[in-house]
Amino acid sequence: MSANKTFYCLRCQHRFPVAHDPKQVAERSCPKCGSNSVRLETPAAVAAKQEGD
Amino acid sequence: MMDAGRHPRIELLVNSEVDDITGFVGNYRATVRRRAEYVDAGECTSCGDCEDVCPVVVPDEYQQGLSSRRAIYLPFPQAVPSSYYLDAENCLGFNPIACGKCKEVCDKKCIDFDVRDTILDLEVGSVIVATGMEPWDPRPYDEYGYTRFDNVVTAMEFERLICAGGPSEGELVRLSDRRVPERVGFIQCVGSRSPNRGVPYCSNICCMATIKQTLQIAEHYPDSQQKVFYIDIRSFGKGFEDMYRRSREEGVDYIRGLPGSVERDPQTGELVVEVENTLSGRREQHRLDMLVLATALVPRKFSRNGDGKRSIDEILSLSHTSDGFVMEAHPKLKPVDAPTRGVYFAGCVESPKDIKESVTQAGAAAMRAGNLLGAGQVRIEAITAELVADLCAECKICAAVCPFNAIVEANKKTGLLPDFIEAACAGCGTCAAECPFDAIVMRHFEDAQITAQIDGILADNPMEKIVAFACNWCSYAGGDNAGTSRLQYPPAIRLIRTMCSGRVDQRFIWHAFEQGAPMVLVSGCHFSDCHYIDAVTWTQRRVEKVWTQMEKLGIRPERLQLEWISAAEGQKFARVMRELDEMLRSVTDEEVAETVKILGKKKLSEPKKVLGPAAAVNVASDAGATVSPPPA
């Protein structure tokens, strides 16, 4: 089942929603900068990012 | 087709499904389910007595539902074998026999309701996939009125209407009143070149099919008026432009612009087409008796076979391009080869194509298969995987991740070591990268060779360098493309070539960071271009895992970048390198020193030790691979 999840770009830090099915591995890219270094935003990732800030 | 049916060395297995194909190039074993044929094709003389008495009437699929057929019928006049076929789904004579009239009238006694499916086990050297395509369903395009008006038909329906063997025996009639239409319109690109509502690609054959149909109408009905609404006419090919010219000379009106709406005049019953003529810039209204939609061609959906088992693309590990058609091994050098050796493509399964192209490709595929079988032996890749038995923990991850099914469990019952089929191995290295125990050696791309390159790169001034792993076919070639195009990019990048990004073991990434790399890039083919079927998906999974681990360790995940760059994307390669060079400046000496310190304690670049079968099961579940635990 695919649901909308938030991904963020490790190049430009842009956050964006993507239909995500954990069972399917799909090619993803940042809609802003086109980078493929995009990551599913998890609570741990948000916490770590805030600590970094 | 008749020739193929009569050929002494060709056996046609009609009404059959492939249940499974195992093995490798030159040594495939196919399990084929031959559906019960209730009519003995060898005995049937196609007299038609059975059809005459059959009480069941259903729409005729071959005639696009424009006429009907019986439950026992001849699929079409040129069908091979030329015998009647019993449609078991609609026949009344099954379990218990309720009808059986066809059986009673058959003089040759060739109808038998007790026949059952048979399973054939075939040994074959190669496989040619020619499963074709299907027309796009135009119902979403309701502005063209396909679902509302009888006189709006698809090109396939029109083809049946104007065919001598069609439901109207070649008489072109409109469906609403059976009268010959005097004004016929054609709308091109219905579904094609429409990424939002249809498919993004050009369907290749529609322009010429429409031109042919306009010529047919002009020949049979010289007084008719014809209008073609188009975006642009693509009449490339031998003699095609000449056909287009002839069509225009016959008086066919070509109007550049796709209609915005089609309505029916309630007074006259005419179809009223509103269109903006983009050549004149004027809005026009055309009144027509019949409208033909040139619908797109779309990939045939590979259906799972009756028992819910795998479909043919899953059985053969066929990969698909972004448009859904199967992907060839190389678009220029191996246009009829599948990535799996010994498997070839013919016809529209690979892309939409006309009869001439399909015949050409089928000939090429047959020749490729013939060459393979005639040679009697195959030359295998030099770059293949090799198992180090002493290190193997039998976790079976390698078998689960191999895109080519080149690694098989030797014996599921006794849990022996996996069997590496070198002839099937294409050398992507995914197995070696996924093996947690370093039990697989990738010839010519061994761990020691790659780590030595990393060490060499980072030996001097590591803070000025980006370690980049690039796959041979796409990203590395993209770098070449950037070079030959003389595109400028910063000198910080240091490329390490691997055959596939799937070979990039996470231990290589950790090793680079341990050695003081400020940034690492993993780069491979776009998913639809992967030369090793789906090996690139394992790259993404692996990098995502490393990102998570970096985060847990307090290392910025931004320092590991992932990028898909094709061989044609030299500009993208140069742009990515410039962006990474910018990011490199944000990494401080202290940050790198801290990373080295953290990773020095963790020793993530070292392989796991073999701890026994129980540990192996845990490792397998970590990797997300579906494997069964080895027996105690």
Side-chain angles (χ1 to χ4, degrees):
Chain A
M1 281 289 286
S2 62
N4 260 5
K5 297 275 183 184
T6 303
F7 280 72
Y8 74 97
C9 175
L10 289 172
R11 186 86 44 88
C12 70
Q13 309 301 325
H14 177 57
R15 295 170 76 248
F16 54 96
V18 174
H20 175 61
D21 180 353
K23 289 179 184 168
Q24 298 277 330
V25 184
E27 182 174 330
R28 286 183 285 266
S29 59
C30 171
K32 191 175 165 194
C33 71
S35 164
N36 301 117
S37 298
V38 292
R39 234 192 124 193
L40 179 65
E41 192 171 74
T42 57
V46 173
K49 197 163 171 0
Q50 283 168 349
E51 279 173 27
D53 294 341
Chain B
M1 197 139 113
M2 200 73 84
D3 287 345
R6 288 174 180 164
H7 198 283
R9 295 179 63 194
I10 298 176
E11 185 186 359
L12 284 181
L13 299 176
V14 295
N15 199 24
S16 303
E17 283 178 5
V18 177
D19 272 2
D20 196 16
I21 296 176
T22 56
F24 52 93
V25 55
N27 297 277
Y28 288 112
R29 182 176 284 271
T31 308
V32 177
R33 178 183 297 272
R34 189 156 197 184
R35 297 281 172 205
E37 286 174 47
Y38 304 97
V39 180
D40 186 340
E43 292 294 318
C44 177
T45 57
S46 305
C47 65
D49 290 347
C50 51
E51 187 177 24
D52 292 342
V53 298
C54 179
V56 179
V57 179
V58 290
D60 188 341
E61 300 86 353
Y62 180 70
Q63 304 288 8
Q64 302 292 306
L66 298 174
S67 64
S68 58
R69 63 165 174 82
R70 302 302 169 118
I72 188 161
Y73 66 108
L74 197 63
F76 54 96
Q78 297 82 22
V80 176
S82 180
S83 68
Y84 272 72
Y85 174 76
L86 196 144
D87 171 8
E89 276 188 29
N90 290 301
C91 177
L92 301 175
F94 275 81
N95 294 328
I97 289 180
C99 172
K101 288 180 180 171
C102 53
K103 191 173 180 179
E104 286 169 16
V105 299
C106 182
D107 288 339
K108 301 286 285 184
K109 305 292 175 200
C110 52
I111 299 174
D112 182 358
F113 290 115
D114 297 325
V115 177
R116 293 287 174 266
D117 293 0
T118 49
I119 302 292
L120 305 174
D121 197 14
L122 307 173
E123 285 185 359
V124 295
S126 66
V127 179
I128 297 176
V129 183
T131 48
M133 50 75 200
E134 52 194 40
W136 185 74
D137 182 356
R139 280 174 292 188
Y141 271 67
D142 202 44
E143 67 263 32
Y144 295 151
Y146 180 69
T147 55
R148 290 176 286 146
F149 310 126
D150 288 342
N151 296 333
V152 179
V153 297
T154 65
M156 284 293 282
E157 289 166 348
F158 179 85
E159 197 65 39
R160 297 317 308 153
L161 283 173
I162 205 162
C163 176
S168 56
E169 297 178 336
E171 184 78 6
L172 180 62
V173 292
R174 56 183 198 176
L175 299 179
S176 62
D177 55 8
R178 311 278 168 198
R179 284 175 52 200
V180 176
E182 293 175 1
R183 294 160 299 176
V184 181
F186 293 83
I187 301 179
Q188 298 304 107
C189 297
V190 179
S192 302
R193 306 167 72 190
S194 176
N196 294 329
R197 302 182 66 181
V199 295
Y201 52 84
C202 167
S203 291
N204 194 358
I205 65 159
C206 328
C207 285
M208 293 316 297
T210 293
I211 290 169
K212 182 205 75 172
Q213 288 165 347
T214 61
L215 288 170
Q216 280 178 309
I217 295 176
E219 189 179 328
H220 294 301
Y221 306 97
D223 296 332
S224 64
Q225 292 175 29
Q226 298 183 68
K227 297 174 194 293
V228 178
F229 304 98
Y230 70 99
I231 303 175
D232 45 45
I233 293 292
R234 298 185 170 183
S235 59
F236 59 89
K238 192 176 180 182
F240 288 1
E241 188 65 18
D242 186 44
M243 270 182 80
Y244 178 38
R245 185 181 50 75
R246 276 169 47 210
S247 173
R248 297 183 78 105
E249 285 172 0
E250 292 286 351
V252 179
D253 191 5
Y254 283 82
I255 298 158
R256 203 181 80 175
L258 293 184
S261 72
V262 175
E263 293 300 334
R264 182 173 171 274
D265 186 331
Q267 305 292 326
T268 61
E270 295 166 326
L271 295 167
V272 182
V273 176
E274 295 275 355
V275 63
E276 183 194 352
N277 187 329
T278 57
L279 288 179
S280 67
R282 286 202 303 267
R283 188 173 168 179
E284 298 175 358
Q285 194 179 75
H286 298 271
R287 289 181 170 266
L288 302 167
D289 298 320
M290 183 185 236
L291 193 57
V292 183
L293 309 181
T295 49
L297 302 182
V298 294
R300 184 179 290 276
K301 288 181 186 69
F302 288 98
S303 57
R304 287 174 172 264
N305 59 28
D307 300 329
K309 293 179 187 169
R310 297 175 301 160
S311 58
I312 190 70
D313 57 338
E314 291 172 319
I315 290 170
L316 289 170
S317 299
L318 304 179
S319 50
H320 301 86
T321 50
S322 55
D323 53 22
F325 291 96
V326 295
M327 192 173 74
E328 63 277 40
H330 193 284
K332 292 171 187 165
L333 302 177
K334 289 184 175 178
V336 300
D337 293 40
T340 306
R341 295 181 74 194
V343 179
Y344 307 100
F345 301 132
C348 292
V349 68
E350 186 258 328
S351 66
K353 49 177 71 72
D354 62 12
I355 296 169
K356 180 182 170 183
E357 280 182 289
S358 296
V359 170
T360 307
Q361 195 182 31
M367 194 62 76
R368 293 281 292 158
N371 285 348
L372 175 73
L373 301 180
Q377 57 183 16
V378 292
R379 183 175 293 186
I380 62 170
E381 292 282 341
I383 303 162
T384 52
E386 183 185 2
L387 181 72
V388 183
D390 292 346
L391 298 176
C392 180
E394 301 171 33
C395 68
K396 301 182 182 70
I397 290 174
C398 52
V401 302
C402 177
F404 297 90
N405 300 321
I407 305 172
V408 291
E409 296 168 38
N411 189 327
K412 286 181 183 173
K413 288 180 183 170
T414 56
L416 292 177
L417 296 174
D419 191 8
F420 280 52
I421 304 166
E422 282 199 58
C425 178
C428 64
T430 305
C431 55
E434 286 292 327
C435 178
F437 306 99
D438 256 358
I440 299 171
V441 172
M442 203 61 219
R443 294 190 182 101
H444 301 281
F445 288 89
E446 295 181 16
D447 286 9
Q449 290 174 304
I450 292 172
T451 49
Q453 288 182 70
I454 297 169
D455 293 343
I457 289 167
L458 298 171
D460 301 317
N461 304 322
M463 287 303 291
E464 294 170 11
K465 291 169 186 167
I466 300 168
V467 177
F469 298 96
C471 85
N472 177 65
W473 304 102
C474 287
S475 298
Y476 198 82
D480 268 348
N481 186 311
T484 52
S485 305
R486 300 188 178 185
L487 299 171
Q488 298 292 311
Y489 59 87
I493 201 80
R494 293 292 188 277
L495 289 178
I496 297 176
R497 184 176 69 94
T498 55
M499 290 310 287
C500 174
S501 61
R503 173 68 187 102
V504 182
D505 195 322
Q506 55 178 307
R507 288 193 292 271
F508 301 157
I509 299 168
W510 293 124
H511 183 76
F513 284 128
E514 278 175 7
Q515 297 303 309
M519 288 202 64
V520 174
L521 168 70
V522 178
S523 180
C525 306
H526 290 283
F527 280 27
S528 57
D529 296 339
C530 180
H531 282 63
Y532 300 100
I533 304 175
D534 66 347
V536 70
T537 62
W538 291 99
T539 311
Q540 181 162 299
R541 285 190 182 100
R542 209 174 299 137
V543 167
E544 283 173 352
K545 228 160 77 173
V546 176
W547 278 333
T548 305
Q549 213 159 350
M550 287 173 80
E551 203 164 60
K552 284 179 184 167
L553 294 170
I555 303 167
R556 278 195 301 143
E558 286 84 350
R559 289 173 58 195
L560 170 62
Q561 292 281 313
L562 179 68
E563 207 63 52
W564 311 126
I565 302 171
S566 81
E569 292 179 321
Q571 285 193 327
K572 181 177 181 183
F573 183 91
R575 176 176 59 77
V576 167
M577 298 314 146
R578 284 195 294 271
E579 288 172 4
L580 294 192
D581 191 57
E582 283 292 313
M583 293 181 79
L584 178 65
R585 294 169 207 281
S586 71
V587 184
T588 61
D589 290 349
E590 293 75 23
E591 190 178 359
V592 171
E594 181 64 19
T595 304
V596 172
K597 195 174 152 190
I598 294 168
L599 295 179
K601 294 174 193 166
K602 292 283 178 186
K603 301 194 185 305
L604 292 169
S605 64
E606 292 179 10
K608 292 188 179 179
K609 299 277 190 308
V610 180
L611 300 173
V617 176
N618 290 335
V619 170
S621 60
D622 283 353
T626 309
V627 293
S628 51

